[in-house]
Amino acid sequence: MPPELPHSEEFVLAFLAEAGDEYVSGEAISDKLGLTRAAVWKHVNALRGLGYRIDAMPARGYRLAAVPDRLTALELRPLLNTHDLGQVLHAFEVIGSTSDHAKGLAEEGAAHGEVVIAESQTAGRGRRGRSWASPPGKNAYFSAVLRPELPPGRAPELTLVASVAMCDAVRQAGVPAGIKWPNDLLVGGRKIAGILTELAAEPDRIQWVVLGIGVNVNARLEDFPEEVRPEVTSILLERGEPAPRALFVAACLTALEEWLDLHAEAGFAPVRQAWRERSLTLGREVLVRTEGREIVGTAEDIDERGALLVRAGGRVEQILAGDVKLLRPVPLRDPG
Ligand code: BTN
């Protein structure tokens, strides 16, 4: 593990990160942080020594051009502008599953927003008992502990909240992802991200939720096991250049927190609308596997609880849990 950053370096880095692509003057940094110009220069050089690329231009100042491609607290903490998510960060080089670890922490009383992140997983889990390919040092694998004030019956809403937030983060990275119900992110029919929602609840309240999120960021097809290669893609493969993972994870946590806040304030209605707008499922013919049954029909909508509504054989089936296969788009009816 790399050494911890001394506080002043962390502050200089956070200041530069907040400015994004803009230059900030040495004077602005020294005024804001109460440092001498010489101290700012020293901290910039120390950060460069740790692998941060910081451009310097006379009369314009400094600009954060690149961060090291590692996902430790050292890289992530200064990039986070969240109030809860990731403020307590448990970072690992290798772990069985970030979600298993987060569940253990939740049972021991972890606070809302604690995040477990790892460079690789040896037992990454997907939905419905599947495994999640987790090649080292290429992608993003993280799990957030949430303590929402919601009755257990509303927990499925959080899965859709997370899918909308991750869709936004992947789109911000320049990749036009969409959502397959309930929460798979696909590009060109291939999976780029998945979300696993697990929880513990009493009859009338949720104790904790763990949102486990995996995004294929910089992996190439050969990094994945052969059997999943036809079904997966990554940000690198879609846009042709790698994404800085720490910045991407920070953007994921920001998007997730913004959507969770909106959901807590305004309820499910705005999330439902946002989900519809990002959906790849609605208006398609689908094959749904649920509770030992298979249903083929047209995905018409999601209801006010997030269930998928599928019209099949003259009636509308409400699907609360299951696996959806997209078949073909349903042709628009000729109004004449
Ligand atoms: C799916 O689409 O099946 C959900 C995949 C979720 C994978 C993530 S990676 C981080 C977290 N840890 C796990 O073991 N699983 C989730």
PDB file of all heavy atoms in Angstrom, residues 95-100 116 118 121 123-134 140-143 183-185 191 193-198 210-215, ligand 1:
ATOM      1  N   ILE A  95      -9.502  -8.961  -2.370  1.00  0.00           N
ATOM      2  CA  ILE A  95     -10.501  -9.337  -1.365  1.00  0.00           C
ATOM      3  C   ILE A  95     -11.342 -10.449  -1.975  1.00  0.00           C
ATOM      4  O   ILE A  95     -11.324 -10.625  -3.207  1.00  0.00           O
ATOM      5  CB  ILE A  95     -11.363  -8.094  -1.008  1.00  0.00           C
ATOM      6  CG1 ILE A  95     -12.049  -8.248   0.340  1.00  0.00           C
ATOM      7  CG2 ILE A  95     -12.368  -7.770  -2.105  1.00  0.00           C
ATOM      8  CD1 ILE A  95     -12.634  -6.953   0.891  1.00  0.00           C
ATOM      9  N   GLY A  96     -12.058 -11.220  -1.137  1.00  0.00           N
ATOM     10  CA  GLY A  96     -12.981 -12.217  -1.692  1.00  0.00           C
ATOM     11  C   GLY A  96     -14.046 -11.485  -2.488  1.00  0.00           C
ATOM     12  O   GLY A  96     -14.097 -11.534  -3.712  1.00  0.00           O
ATOM     13  N   SER A  97     -14.895 -10.748  -1.753  1.00  0.00           N
ATOM     14  CA  SER A  97     -15.948  -9.947  -2.397  1.00  0.00           C
ATOM     15  C   SER A  97     -16.141  -8.682  -1.560  1.00  0.00           C
ATOM     16  O   SER A  97     -16.286  -8.761  -0.337  1.00  0.00           O
ATOM     17  CB  SER A  97     -17.239 -10.767  -2.433  1.00  0.00           C
ATOM     18  OG  SER A  97     -18.364  -9.930  -2.385  1.00  0.00           O
ATOM     19  N   THR A  98     -16.155  -7.533  -2.234  1.00  0.00           N
ATOM     20  CA  THR A  98     -16.346  -6.280  -1.484  1.00  0.00           C
ATOM     21  C   THR A  98     -17.717  -6.294  -0.792  1.00  0.00           C
ATOM     22  O   THR A  98     -17.873  -5.732   0.293  1.00  0.00           O
ATOM     23  CB  THR A  98     -16.255  -5.049  -2.414  1.00  0.00           C
ATOM     24  OG1 THR A  98     -17.197  -5.187  -3.476  1.00  0.00           O
ATOM     25  CG2 THR A  98     -14.861  -4.859  -2.971  1.00  0.00           C
ATOM     26  N   SER A  99     -18.695  -6.959  -1.412  1.00  0.00           N
ATOM     27  CA  SER A  99     -20.029  -6.989  -0.797  1.00  0.00           C
ATOM     28  C   SER A  99     -20.026  -7.855   0.466  1.00  0.00           C
ATOM     29  O   SER A  99     -20.677  -7.518   1.457  1.00  0.00           O
ATOM     30  CB  SER A  99     -21.076  -7.495  -1.785  1.00  0.00           C
ATOM     31  OG  SER A  99     -21.391  -6.469  -2.703  1.00  0.00           O
ATOM     32  N   ASP A 100     -19.319  -8.989   0.435  1.00  0.00           N
ATOM     33  CA  ASP A 100     -19.254  -9.818   1.645  1.00  0.00           C
ATOM     34  C   ASP A 100     -18.618  -9.025   2.777  1.00  0.00           C
ATOM     35  O   ASP A 100     -19.069  -9.053   3.919  1.00  0.00           O
ATOM     36  CB  ASP A 100     -18.444 -11.095   1.391  1.00  0.00           C
ATOM     37  CG  ASP A 100     -19.210 -12.065   0.512  1.00  0.00           C
ATOM     38  OD1 ASP A 100     -20.440 -11.884   0.355  1.00  0.00           O
ATOM     39  OD2 ASP A 100     -18.572 -12.984  -0.042  1.00  0.00           O
ATOM     40  N   VAL A 116     -16.524  -0.131   0.623  1.00  0.00           N
ATOM     41  CA  VAL A 116     -15.420  -1.094   0.503  1.00  0.00           C
ATOM     42  C   VAL A 116     -15.057  -1.157  -0.976  1.00  0.00           C
ATOM     43  O   VAL A 116     -15.943  -1.308  -1.826  1.00  0.00           O
ATOM     44  CB  VAL A 116     -15.852  -2.495   0.985  1.00  0.00           C
ATOM     45  CG1 VAL A 116     -14.688  -3.480   0.863  1.00  0.00           C
ATOM     46  CG2 VAL A 116     -16.377  -2.441   2.418  1.00  0.00           C
ATOM     47  N   ALA A 118     -11.966  -2.584  -3.944  1.00  0.00           N
ATOM     48  CA  ALA A 118     -10.814  -3.469  -4.114  1.00  0.00           C
ATOM     49  C   ALA A 118     -10.313  -3.422  -5.549  1.00  0.00           C
ATOM     50  O   ALA A 118     -11.079  -3.171  -6.483  1.00  0.00           O
ATOM     51  CB  ALA A 118     -11.182  -4.895  -3.749  1.00  0.00           C
ATOM     52  N   GLN A 121     -11.117  -9.058  -6.982  1.00  0.00           N
ATOM     53  CA  GLN A 121     -11.921  -9.932  -6.125  1.00  0.00           C
ATOM     54  C   GLN A 121     -11.664 -11.378  -6.533  1.00  0.00           C
ATOM     55  O   GLN A 121     -11.632 -11.687  -7.723  1.00  0.00           O
ATOM     56  CB  GLN A 121     -13.412  -9.646  -6.294  1.00  0.00           C
ATOM     57  CG  GLN A 121     -13.820  -8.216  -5.975  1.00  0.00           C
ATOM     58  CD  GLN A 121     -15.330  -8.037  -6.068  1.00  0.00           C
ATOM     59  OE1 GLN A 121     -15.981  -7.770  -5.080  1.00  0.00           O
ATOM     60  NE2 GLN A 121     -15.876  -8.208  -7.246  1.00  0.00           N
ATOM     61  N   ALA A 123     -13.682 -13.793  -5.268  1.00  0.00           N
ATOM     62  CA  ALA A 123     -14.995 -14.454  -5.231  1.00  0.00           C
ATOM     63  C   ALA A 123     -16.085 -13.419  -5.485  1.00  0.00           C
ATOM     64  O   ALA A 123     -17.074 -13.347  -4.741  1.00  0.00           O
ATOM     65  CB  ALA A 123     -15.193 -15.146  -3.878  1.00  0.00           C
ATOM     66  N   GLY A 124     -15.888 -12.608  -6.546  1.00  0.00           N
ATOM     67  CA  GLY A 124     -16.878 -11.588  -6.895  1.00  0.00           C
ATOM     68  C   GLY A 124     -18.199 -12.262  -7.248  1.00  0.00           C
ATOM     69  O   GLY A 124     -18.216 -13.247  -7.983  1.00  0.00           O
ATOM     70  N   ARG A 125     -19.285 -11.725  -6.724  1.00  0.00           N
ATOM     71  CA  ARG A 125     -20.598 -12.357  -6.922  1.00  0.00           C
ATOM     72  C   ARG A 125     -21.504 -11.463  -7.761  1.00  0.00           C
ATOM     73  O   ARG A 125     -21.500 -10.246  -7.611  1.00  0.00           O
ATOM     74  CB  ARG A 125     -21.278 -12.609  -5.569  1.00  0.00           C
ATOM     75  CG  ARG A 125     -20.574 -13.636  -4.717  1.00  0.00           C
ATOM     76  CD  ARG A 125     -21.313 -13.923  -3.449  1.00  0.00           C
ATOM     77  NE  ARG A 125     -21.313 -12.793  -2.522  1.00  0.00           N
ATOM     78  CZ  ARG A 125     -22.379 -12.057  -2.249  1.00  0.00           C
ATOM     79  NH1 ARG A 125     -23.549 -12.299  -2.834  1.00  0.00           N
ATOM     80  NH2 ARG A 125     -22.308 -11.074  -1.365  1.00  0.00           N
ATOM     81  N   GLY A 126     -22.301 -12.096  -8.612  1.00  0.00           N
ATOM     82  CA  GLY A 126     -23.304 -11.374  -9.377  1.00  0.00           C
ATOM     83  C   GLY A 126     -24.689 -11.745  -8.892  1.00  0.00           C
ATOM     84  O   GLY A 126     -24.844 -12.458  -7.895  1.00  0.00           O
ATOM     85  N   ARG A 127     -25.714 -11.265  -9.587  1.00  0.00           N
ATOM     86  CA  ARG A 127     -27.089 -11.590  -9.222  1.00  0.00           C
ATOM     87  C   ARG A 127     -27.361 -13.066  -9.513  1.00  0.00           C
ATOM     88  O   ARG A 127     -26.718 -13.674 -10.346  1.00  0.00           O
ATOM     89  CB  ARG A 127     -28.071 -10.738 -10.036  1.00  0.00           C
ATOM     90  CG  ARG A 127     -28.117  -9.293  -9.614  1.00  0.00           C
ATOM     91  CD  ARG A 127     -29.002  -8.477 -10.530  1.00  0.00           C
ATOM     92  NE  ARG A 127     -30.381  -8.906 -10.481  1.00  0.00           N
ATOM     93  CZ  ARG A 127     -31.116  -9.255 -11.547  1.00  0.00           C
ATOM     94  NH1 ARG A 127     -30.590  -9.224 -12.739  1.00  0.00           N
ATOM     95  NH2 ARG A 127     -32.363  -9.623 -11.393  1.00  0.00           N
ATOM     96  N   ARG A 128     -28.320 -13.604  -8.805  1.00  0.00           N
ATOM     97  CA  ARG A 128     -28.839 -14.946  -9.024  1.00  0.00           C
ATOM     98  C   ARG A 128     -27.732 -16.006  -8.999  1.00  0.00           C
ATOM     99  O   ARG A 128     -27.680 -16.918  -9.840  1.00  0.00           O
ATOM    100  CB  ARG A 128     -29.622 -15.006 -10.327  1.00  0.00           C
ATOM    101  CG  ARG A 128     -30.704 -13.912 -10.383  1.00  0.00           C
ATOM    102  CD  ARG A 128     -31.501 -13.919 -11.627  1.00  0.00           C
ATOM    103  NE  ARG A 128     -32.650 -14.824 -11.561  1.00  0.00           N
ATOM    104  CZ  ARG A 128     -33.735 -14.624 -10.820  1.00  0.00           C
ATOM    105  NH1 ARG A 128     -33.833 -13.554 -10.071  1.00  0.00           N
ATOM    106  NH2 ARG A 128     -34.717 -15.489 -10.803  1.00  0.00           N
ATOM    107  N   GLY A 129     -26.809 -15.839  -8.026  1.00  0.00           N
ATOM    108  CA  GLY A 129     -25.790 -16.854  -7.769  1.00  0.00           C
ATOM    109  C   GLY A 129     -24.667 -16.911  -8.800  1.00  0.00           C
ATOM    110  O   GLY A 129     -23.835 -17.824  -8.767  1.00  0.00           O
ATOM    111  N   ARG A 130     -24.640 -15.952  -9.727  1.00  0.00           N
ATOM    112  CA  ARG A 130     -23.575 -15.993 -10.730  1.00  0.00           C
ATOM    113  C   ARG A 130     -22.292 -15.411 -10.156  1.00  0.00           C
ATOM    114  O   ARG A 130     -22.312 -14.749  -9.126  1.00  0.00           O
ATOM    115  CB  ARG A 130     -23.975 -15.172 -11.958  1.00  0.00           C
ATOM    116  CG  ARG A 130     -25.231 -15.688 -12.626  1.00  0.00           C
ATOM    117  CD  ARG A 130     -25.476 -14.935 -13.921  1.00  0.00           C
ATOM    118  NE  ARG A 130     -26.777 -15.291 -14.437  1.00  0.00           N
ATOM    119  CZ  ARG A 130     -27.837 -14.474 -14.437  1.00  0.00           C
ATOM    120  NH1 ARG A 130     -27.735 -13.239 -13.978  1.00  0.00           N
ATOM    121  NH2 ARG A 130     -29.004 -14.871 -14.894  1.00  0.00           N
ATOM    122  N   SER A 131     -21.171 -15.658 -10.844  1.00  0.00           N
ATOM    123  CA  SER A 131     -19.933 -15.020 -10.367  1.00  0.00           C
ATOM    124  C   SER A 131     -19.694 -13.755 -11.203  1.00  0.00           C
ATOM    125  O   SER A 131     -20.278 -13.588 -12.278  1.00  0.00           O
ATOM    126  CB  SER A 131     -18.748 -15.981 -10.463  1.00  0.00           C
ATOM    127  OG  SER A 131     -18.563 -16.344 -11.784  1.00  0.00           O
ATOM    128  N   TRP A 132     -18.851 -12.861 -10.658  1.00  0.00           N
ATOM    129  CA  TRP A 132     -18.567 -11.595 -11.347  1.00  0.00           C
ATOM    130  C   TRP A 132     -17.080 -11.549 -11.648  1.00  0.00           C
ATOM    131  O   TRP A 132     -16.250 -11.515 -10.730  1.00  0.00           O
ATOM    132  CB  TRP A 132     -18.975 -10.404 -10.483  1.00  0.00           C
ATOM    133  CG  TRP A 132     -18.791  -9.083 -11.173  1.00  0.00           C
ATOM    134  CD1 TRP A 132     -17.787  -8.195 -10.974  1.00  0.00           C
ATOM    135  CD2 TRP A 132     -19.638  -8.508 -12.177  1.00  0.00           C
ATOM    136  NE1 TRP A 132     -17.948  -7.100 -11.790  1.00  0.00           N
ATOM    137  CE2 TRP A 132     -19.094  -7.265 -12.551  1.00  0.00           C
ATOM    138  CE3 TRP A 132     -20.822  -8.927 -12.808  1.00  0.00           C
ATOM    139  CZ2 TRP A 132     -19.669  -6.436 -13.507  1.00  0.00           C
ATOM    140  CZ3 TRP A 132     -21.400  -8.103 -13.763  1.00  0.00           C
ATOM    141  CH2 TRP A 132     -20.820  -6.872 -14.099  1.00  0.00           C
ATOM    142  N   ALA A 133     -16.730 -11.591 -12.918  1.00  0.00           N
ATOM    143  CA  ALA A 133     -15.315 -11.593 -13.303  1.00  0.00           C
ATOM    144  C   ALA A 133     -14.656 -10.304 -12.811  1.00  0.00           C
ATOM    145  O   ALA A 133     -15.143  -9.218 -13.082  1.00  0.00           O
ATOM    146  CB  ALA A 133     -15.207 -11.704 -14.818  1.00  0.00           C
ATOM    147  N   SER A 134     -13.554 -10.455 -12.086  1.00  0.00           N
ATOM    148  CA  SER A 134     -12.932  -9.295 -11.434  1.00  0.00           C
ATOM    149  C   SER A 134     -11.438  -9.239 -11.687  1.00  0.00           C
ATOM    150  O   SER A 134     -10.619  -9.365 -10.763  1.00  0.00           O
ATOM    151  CB  SER A 134     -13.188  -9.356  -9.922  1.00  0.00           C
ATOM    152  OG  SER A 134     -14.548  -9.566  -9.640  1.00  0.00           O
ATOM    153  N   ALA A 140     -13.641  -1.447 -11.728  1.00  0.00           N
ATOM    154  CA  ALA A 140     -14.056  -0.893 -10.434  1.00  0.00           C
ATOM    155  C   ALA A 140     -14.982  -1.889  -9.749  1.00  0.00           C
ATOM    156  O   ALA A 140     -15.969  -2.337 -10.350  1.00  0.00           O
ATOM    157  CB  ALA A 140     -14.782   0.436 -10.646  1.00  0.00           C
ATOM    158  N   TYR A 141     -14.634  -2.252  -8.531  1.00  0.00           N
ATOM    159  CA  TYR A 141     -15.463  -3.142  -7.718  1.00  0.00           C
ATOM    160  C   TYR A 141     -15.629  -2.472  -6.361  1.00  0.00           C
ATOM    161  O   TYR A 141     -14.641  -2.299  -5.641  1.00  0.00           O
ATOM    162  CB  TYR A 141     -14.787  -4.506  -7.501  1.00  0.00           C
ATOM    163  CG  TYR A 141     -14.090  -5.040  -8.735  1.00  0.00           C
ATOM    164  CD1 TYR A 141     -12.704  -5.105  -8.802  1.00  0.00           C
ATOM    165  CD2 TYR A 141     -14.832  -5.454  -9.841  1.00  0.00           C
ATOM    166  CE1 TYR A 141     -12.059  -5.553  -9.941  1.00  0.00           C
ATOM    167  CE2 TYR A 141     -14.202  -5.919 -10.985  1.00  0.00           C
ATOM    168  CZ  TYR A 141     -12.811  -5.966 -11.026  1.00  0.00           C
ATOM    169  OH  TYR A 141     -12.174  -6.410 -12.150  1.00  0.00           O
ATOM    170  N   PHE A 142     -16.843  -2.068  -6.047  1.00  0.00           N
ATOM    171  CA  PHE A 142     -17.035  -1.434  -4.743  1.00  0.00           C
ATOM    172  C   PHE A 142     -18.435  -1.711  -4.215  1.00  0.00           C
ATOM    173  O   PHE A 142     -19.361  -2.018  -4.979  1.00  0.00           O
ATOM    174  CB  PHE A 142     -16.746   0.071  -4.793  1.00  0.00           C
ATOM    175  CG  PHE A 142     -17.581   0.849  -5.777  1.00  0.00           C
ATOM    176  CD1 PHE A 142     -18.732   1.491  -5.375  1.00  0.00           C
ATOM    177  CD2 PHE A 142     -17.205   0.940  -7.104  1.00  0.00           C
ATOM    178  CE1 PHE A 142     -19.497   2.221  -6.275  1.00  0.00           C
ATOM    179  CE2 PHE A 142     -17.964   1.653  -8.021  1.00  0.00           C
ATOM    180  CZ  PHE A 142     -19.113   2.299  -7.609  1.00  0.00           C
ATOM    181  N   SER A 143     -18.561  -1.618  -2.879  1.00  0.00           N
ATOM    182  CA  SER A 143     -19.839  -1.880  -2.217  1.00  0.00           C
ATOM    183  C   SER A 143     -20.062  -0.804  -1.168  1.00  0.00           C
ATOM    184  O   SER A 143     -19.152  -0.475  -0.404  1.00  0.00           O
ATOM    185  CB  SER A 143     -19.824  -3.257  -1.540  1.00  0.00           C
ATOM    186  OG  SER A 143     -19.595  -4.263  -2.500  1.00  0.00           O
ATOM    187  N   ASN A 183     -31.407  -3.773 -13.330  1.00  0.00           N
ATOM    188  CA  ASN A 183     -30.269  -2.864 -13.114  1.00  0.00           C
ATOM    189  C   ASN A 183     -28.988  -3.272 -13.833  1.00  0.00           C
ATOM    190  O   ASN A 183     -27.904  -2.980 -13.362  1.00  0.00           O
ATOM    191  CB  ASN A 183     -30.005  -2.698 -11.612  1.00  0.00           C
ATOM    192  CG  ASN A 183     -29.699  -4.023 -10.951  1.00  0.00           C
ATOM    193  OD1 ASN A 183     -29.552  -5.028 -11.618  1.00  0.00           O
ATOM    194  ND2 ASN A 183     -29.605  -4.028  -9.640  1.00  0.00           N
ATOM    195  N   ASP A 184     -29.123  -3.924 -14.978  1.00  0.00           N
ATOM    196  CA  ASP A 184     -27.909  -4.215 -15.767  1.00  0.00           C
ATOM    197  C   ASP A 184     -27.640  -3.039 -16.689  1.00  0.00           C
ATOM    198  O   ASP A 184     -28.552  -2.552 -17.349  1.00  0.00           O
ATOM    199  CB  ASP A 184     -28.133  -5.426 -16.674  1.00  0.00           C
ATOM    200  CG  ASP A 184     -28.121  -6.725 -15.903  1.00  0.00           C
ATOM    201  OD1 ASP A 184     -27.708  -6.712 -14.732  1.00  0.00           O
ATOM    202  OD2 ASP A 184     -28.542  -7.737 -16.483  1.00  0.00           O
ATOM    203  N   LEU A 185     -26.394  -2.638 -16.778  1.00  0.00           N
ATOM    204  CA  LEU A 185     -26.052  -1.582 -17.743  1.00  0.00           C
ATOM    205  C   LEU A 185     -25.434  -2.237 -18.972  1.00  0.00           C
ATOM    206  O   LEU A 185     -24.469  -2.998 -18.859  1.00  0.00           O
ATOM    207  CB  LEU A 185     -25.038  -0.601 -17.150  1.00  0.00           C
ATOM    208  CG  LEU A 185     -25.514   0.322 -16.025  1.00  0.00           C
ATOM    209  CD1 LEU A 185     -24.529   1.448 -15.834  1.00  0.00           C
ATOM    210  CD2 LEU A 185     -26.882   0.881 -16.300  1.00  0.00           C
ATOM    211  N   LYS A 191     -22.696  -6.319 -21.559  1.00  0.00           N
ATOM    212  CA  LYS A 191     -22.779  -5.785 -20.201  1.00  0.00           C
ATOM    213  C   LYS A 191     -21.528  -4.985 -19.835  1.00  0.00           C
ATOM    214  O   LYS A 191     -20.405  -5.445 -19.989  1.00  0.00           O
ATOM    215  CB  LYS A 191     -22.948  -6.959 -19.235  1.00  0.00           C
ATOM    216  CG  LYS A 191     -23.287  -6.531 -17.841  1.00  0.00           C
ATOM    217  CD  LYS A 191     -24.228  -7.517 -17.225  1.00  0.00           C
ATOM    218  CE  LYS A 191     -24.283  -7.368 -15.735  1.00  0.00           C
ATOM    219  NZ  LYS A 191     -25.254  -8.253 -15.127  1.00  0.00           N
ATOM    220  N   ALA A 193     -21.777  -2.951 -16.731  1.00  0.00           N
ATOM    221  CA  ALA A 193     -21.817  -2.805 -15.265  1.00  0.00           C
ATOM    222  C   ALA A 193     -22.985  -3.581 -14.692  1.00  0.00           C
ATOM    223  O   ALA A 193     -24.003  -3.789 -15.370  1.00  0.00           O
ATOM    224  CB  ALA A 193     -21.947  -1.326 -14.883  1.00  0.00           C
ATOM    225  N   GLY A 194     -22.819  -4.007 -13.438  1.00  0.00           N
ATOM    226  CA  GLY A 194     -23.889  -4.731 -12.755  1.00  0.00           C
ATOM    227  C   GLY A 194     -23.980  -4.284 -11.308  1.00  0.00           C
ATOM    228  O   GLY A 194     -23.003  -3.769 -10.736  1.00  0.00           O
ATOM    229  N   ILE A 195     -25.156  -4.467 -10.758  1.00  0.00           N
ATOM    230  CA  ILE A 195     -25.412  -4.023  -9.373  1.00  0.00           C
ATOM    231  C   ILE A 195     -26.070  -5.163  -8.617  1.00  0.00           C
ATOM    232  O   ILE A 195     -27.022  -5.777  -9.108  1.00  0.00           O
ATOM    233  CB  ILE A 195     -26.337  -2.782  -9.385  1.00  0.00           C
ATOM    234  CG1 ILE A 195     -25.664  -1.628 -10.128  1.00  0.00           C
ATOM    235  CG2 ILE A 195     -26.707  -2.362  -7.961  1.00  0.00           C
ATOM    236  CD1 ILE A 195     -26.619  -0.561 -10.609  1.00  0.00           C
ATOM    237  N   LEU A 196     -25.557  -5.426  -7.433  1.00  0.00           N
ATOM    238  CA  LEU A 196     -26.097  -6.488  -6.585  1.00  0.00           C
ATOM    239  C   LEU A 196     -26.588  -5.837  -5.299  1.00  0.00           C
ATOM    240  O   LEU A 196     -25.799  -5.220  -4.590  1.00  0.00           O
ATOM    241  CB  LEU A 196     -24.973  -7.483  -6.283  1.00  0.00           C
ATOM    242  CG  LEU A 196     -25.276  -8.657  -5.378  1.00  0.00           C
ATOM    243  CD1 LEU A 196     -26.212  -9.635  -6.076  1.00  0.00           C
ATOM    244  CD2 LEU A 196     -23.967  -9.377  -5.017  1.00  0.00           C
ATOM    245  N   THR A 197     -27.881  -5.960  -5.026  1.00  0.00           N
ATOM    246  CA  THR A 197     -28.443  -5.311  -3.832  1.00  0.00           C
ATOM    247  C   THR A 197     -28.752  -6.377  -2.792  1.00  0.00           C
ATOM    248  O   THR A 197     -29.467  -7.334  -3.078  1.00  0.00           O
ATOM    249  CB  THR A 197     -29.757  -4.573  -4.189  1.00  0.00           C
ATOM    250  OG1 THR A 197     -29.512  -3.760  -5.329  1.00  0.00           O
ATOM    251  CG2 THR A 197     -30.235  -3.713  -3.049  1.00  0.00           C
ATOM    252  N   GLU A 198     -28.214  -6.219  -1.594  1.00  0.00           N
ATOM    253  CA  GLU A 198     -28.486  -7.170  -0.508  1.00  0.00           C
ATOM    254  C   GLU A 198     -28.880  -6.376   0.726  1.00  0.00           C
ATOM    255  O   GLU A 198     -28.441  -5.239   0.904  1.00  0.00           O
ATOM    256  CB  GLU A 198     -27.238  -8.014  -0.242  1.00  0.00           C
ATOM    257  CG  GLU A 198     -26.896  -8.866  -1.456  1.00  0.00           C
ATOM    258  CD  GLU A 198     -25.541  -9.556  -1.334  1.00  0.00           C
ATOM    259  OE1 GLU A 198     -24.523  -8.848  -1.425  1.00  0.00           O
ATOM    260  OE2 GLU A 198     -25.519 -10.768  -1.129  1.00  0.00           O
ATOM    261  N   VAL A 210     -26.632  -3.283   1.320  1.00  0.00           N
ATOM    262  CA  VAL A 210     -25.310  -3.192   0.685  1.00  0.00           C
ATOM    263  C   VAL A 210     -25.527  -3.185  -0.830  1.00  0.00           C
ATOM    264  O   VAL A 210     -26.096  -4.123  -1.387  1.00  0.00           O
ATOM    265  CB  VAL A 210     -24.377  -4.338   1.120  1.00  0.00           C
ATOM    266  CG1 VAL A 210     -23.137  -4.391   0.221  1.00  0.00           C
ATOM    267  CG2 VAL A 210     -23.941  -4.147   2.580  1.00  0.00           C
ATOM    268  N   LEU A 211     -25.111  -2.090  -1.451  1.00  0.00           N
ATOM    269  CA  LEU A 211     -25.147  -1.993  -2.918  1.00  0.00           C
ATOM    270  C   LEU A 211     -23.765  -2.374  -3.421  1.00  0.00           C
ATOM    271  O   LEU A 211     -22.791  -1.672  -3.155  1.00  0.00           O
ATOM    272  CB  LEU A 211     -25.428  -0.558  -3.356  1.00  0.00           C
ATOM    273  CG  LEU A 211     -26.851  -0.019  -3.289  1.00  0.00           C
ATOM    274  CD1 LEU A 211     -26.866   1.429  -3.790  1.00  0.00           C
ATOM    275  CD2 LEU A 211     -27.802  -0.868  -4.106  1.00  0.00           C
ATOM    276  N   GLY A 212     -23.672  -3.489  -4.121  1.00  0.00           N
ATOM    277  CA  GLY A 212     -22.388  -3.931  -4.683  1.00  0.00           C
ATOM    278  C   GLY A 212     -22.360  -3.589  -6.161  1.00  0.00           C
ATOM    279  O   GLY A 212     -23.267  -3.972  -6.918  1.00  0.00           O
ATOM    280  N   ILE A 213     -21.353  -2.851  -6.576  1.00  0.00           N
ATOM    281  CA  ILE A 213     -21.326  -2.324  -7.941  1.00  0.00           C
ATOM    282  C   ILE A 213     -20.036  -2.739  -8.641  1.00  0.00           C
ATOM    283  O   ILE A 213     -18.937  -2.570  -8.094  1.00  0.00           O
ATOM    284  CB  ILE A 213     -21.451  -0.781  -7.898  1.00  0.00           C
ATOM    285  CG1 ILE A 213     -22.838  -0.432  -7.329  1.00  0.00           C
ATOM    286  CG2 ILE A 213     -21.263  -0.177  -9.297  1.00  0.00           C
ATOM    287  CD1 ILE A 213     -23.050   1.013  -7.027  1.00  0.00           C
ATOM    288  N   GLY A 214     -20.184  -3.294  -9.805  1.00  0.00           N
ATOM    289  CA  GLY A 214     -19.012  -3.651 -10.618  1.00  0.00           C
ATOM    290  C   GLY A 214     -19.117  -2.961 -11.960  1.00  0.00           C
ATOM    291  O   GLY A 214     -20.157  -3.061 -12.624  1.00  0.00           O
ATOM    292  N   VAL A 215     -18.088  -2.227 -12.349  1.00  0.00           N
ATOM    293  CA  VAL A 215     -18.084  -1.559 -13.662  1.00  0.00           C
ATOM    294  C   VAL A 215     -16.822  -2.000 -14.411  1.00  0.00           C
ATOM    295  O   VAL A 215     -15.719  -1.961 -13.855  1.00  0.00           O
ATOM    296  CB  VAL A 215     -18.085  -0.013 -13.541  1.00  0.00           C
ATOM    297  CG1 VAL A 215     -18.257   0.621 -14.929  1.00  0.00           C
ATOM    298  CG2 VAL A 215     -19.176   0.482 -12.603  1.00  0.00           C
TER     299      VAL A 215
HETATM  300  C1  BTN B   1     -24.804  -8.547 -11.594  1.00  0.00           C
HETATM  301  O1  BTN B   1     -25.022  -7.894 -12.603  1.00  0.00           O
HETATM  302  O2  BTN B   1     -24.978  -9.772 -11.588  1.00  0.00           O
HETATM  303  C2  BTN B   1     -24.323  -7.838 -10.345  1.00  0.00           C
HETATM  304  C3  BTN B   1     -22.839  -7.769 -10.315  1.00  0.00           C
HETATM  305  C4  BTN B   1     -22.303  -7.054  -9.091  1.00  0.00           C
HETATM  306  C5  BTN B   1     -20.807  -7.140  -8.997  1.00  0.00           C
HETATM  307  C6  BTN B   1     -20.257  -6.313  -7.887  1.00  0.00           C
HETATM  308  S1  BTN B   1     -18.500  -6.133  -7.973  1.00  0.00           S
HETATM  309  C7  BTN B   1     -18.499  -5.385  -6.394  1.00  0.00           C
HETATM  310  C8  BTN B   1     -19.486  -6.152  -5.548  1.00  0.00           C
HETATM  311  N1  BTN B   1     -18.854  -7.318  -4.954  1.00  0.00           N
HETATM  312  C9  BTN B   1     -19.368  -8.455  -5.412  1.00  0.00           C
HETATM  313  O3  BTN B   1     -19.016  -9.582  -5.060  1.00  0.00           O
HETATM  314  N2  BTN B   1     -20.333  -8.195  -6.292  1.00  0.00           N
HETATM  315  C10 BTN B   1     -20.532  -6.770  -6.475  1.00  0.00           C
END
